[in-house]
Amino acid sequence: MVPCKPYASELSTSNNIELYENGSVAACSIVAPCIVETQAGNLTPQYSTDDLRKKTLQAVSFYRSGALRSLPLETQSPVLTPIGEIVAELVTFYESGAVKRVFPLNGKLSGYWGEDDEVSLSESLTIEIAGSNLTARCINISFYEHGSVESITLWPKENVLLKTPIGEMQIRTGIKFSHTGKILSVEPAVPTSVETSIGKVTAYDNDVVGIIGDNNSLVFSENGDLRSITTMHTRVVATALNGKKSEVSPATRESLCGNEDKEFVPMVIEFLSKGIRVTTEPGGSSRTFSYDEYDITSQTYHSELETALGLASSCSM
């Protein structure tokens, strides 16, 4: 048995209990049915592993203060959220107890239970946000602590038509919102040409990870200005006052498919008040060009160049 401080009760747990240095419980696995009272409702933590989707007993986790942090549920259960009731299998919380993120499904993928199996269980949710109703199958929905929607993560192959600050487009992977419901970032479903201060830039990220939909290729300020764009098909050409040209292009690497082809590494262009900053590799160094010192333009890669270099845009499945 382990004390569950916020609820003045005890939980039946396995012997595998993680502790913080102050002795409070960091995580524990529940082994018997019980009810936990939360701001999301009275919920039953996962305590069994009796099917293909639940191969491990996922732990309940806590903050150092003893407040509940994450709660995997025994079955899909109605969860109270700031936008209404959502049937879910995993809920995470802020230390205040407010709902942070809700996962409608929480199955463990394996050789016996794949992504397609999990997606087949998902149902579309309709969320009123950004002045319209968005209907999609979601991996998770996250909330700001005060209650408004922070981001929505979509299942792979799930696309939605969305009105963005630069027009209507098909979106995949994720959408991030401001506290007031304005769109802060989106991930285009296909390579999308965007008009910018340096010309047309094709927004797309072949490396996007669809776990949390907060970081996307098109990033906006709350007033709708374009702040940054991720591209794999555009280079930047900066011409100094003395005529010297600097070209910054997406880097290349060995294809992740494991063949002998190469592929582009997504490049990020940030639009600053007096220029741009370009980062060619994640975690790499950046180059900054000011509008006062350079004539900055964009240049699109051509398919002929990709073919000549043996560059692969994606893995063949």
Side-chain angles (χ1 to χ4, degrees), residues 4-214:
C4 186
K5 294 179 182 178
Y7 317 105
S9 61
E10 291 189 338
L11 305 174
S12 295
T13 70
S14 67
N15 292 327
N16 185 18
I17 300 174
E18 295 180 30
L19 301 176
Y20 288 111
E21 63 277 3
N22 63 3
S24 64
V25 176
C28 61
S29 298
I30 310 302
V31 294
C34 64
I35 299 294
V36 176
E37 297 178 8
T38 76
Q39 290 187 27
N42 296 337
L43 303 172
T44 301
Q46 181 189 350
Y47 61 86
S48 69
T49 57
D50 57 359
D51 62 37
L52 288 175
R53 295 182 66 237
K54 297 190 293 186
K55 285 188 156 301
T56 58
L57 195 59
Q58 298 177 81
V60 177
S61 68
F62 303 87
Y63 291 96
R64 281 181 172 78
S65 63
L68 188 62
R69 186 169 190 165
S70 69
L71 187 68
L73 305 179
E74 174 66 11
T75 60
Q76 271 199 325
S77 306
V79 172
L80 301 177
T81 78
I83 58 172
E85 193 173 85
I86 296 176
V87 176
E89 290 185 340
L90 173 66
V91 191
T92 66
F93 300 88
Y94 289 98
E95 196 163 3
S96 65
V99 173
K100 184 174 185 178
R101 201 178 296 271
V102 174
F103 295 77
L105 296 174
N106 187 38
K108 301 290 288 185
L109 302 185
S110 68
Y112 300 97
W113 187 263
E115 183 179 279
D116 289 342
D117 297 309
E118 189 76 355
V119 174
S120 70
L121 300 179
S122 66
E123 296 183 358
S124 293
L125 297 173
T126 298
I127 300 170
E128 187 176 348
I129 190 77
S132 61
N133 289 328
L134 188 154
T135 301
R137 293 182 299 176
C138 305
I139 293 178
N140 62 70
I141 304 99
S142 71
F143 302 91
Y144 289 105
E145 194 164 5
H146 68 76
S148 63
V149 175
E150 181 177 13
S151 68
I152 296 171
T153 305
L154 307 176
W155 276 102
K157 301 178 184 178
E158 184 80 352
N159 296 342
V160 295
L161 185 64
L162 186 68
K163 185 177 180 181
T164 76
I166 57 173
E168 201 170 60
M169 67 177 66
Q170 288 287 338
I171 301 301
R172 64 178 177 136
T173 308
I175 312 161
K176 184 176 176 65
F177 303 93
S178 70
H179 289 269
T180 59
K182 301 293 182 61
I183 293 175
L184 292 183
S185 74
V186 296
E187 189 60 46
V190 296
T192 302
S193 180
V194 176
E195 193 65 54
T196 76
S197 59
I198 63 171
K200 291 183 178 179
V201 177
T202 300
Y204 195 70
D205 183 356
N206 203 50
D207 285 354
V208 67
V209 178
I211 306 287
I212 302 297
D214 294 31

Side-chain angles (χ1 to χ4, degrees), residues 216-227:
N216 302 298
S217 291
L218 284 170
V219 180
F220 306 97
S221 65
E222 191 161 357
N223 63 14
D225 294 332
L226 184 63
R227 293 183 59 186

Side-chain angles (χ1 to χ4, degrees), residues 249-264:
S249 307
T252 61
R253 66 181 175 209
E254 295 296 323
S255 172
L256 297 178
C257 305
N259 51 36
E260 295 182 356
D261 288 336
K262 292 184 179 295
E263 61 188 7
F264 290 121

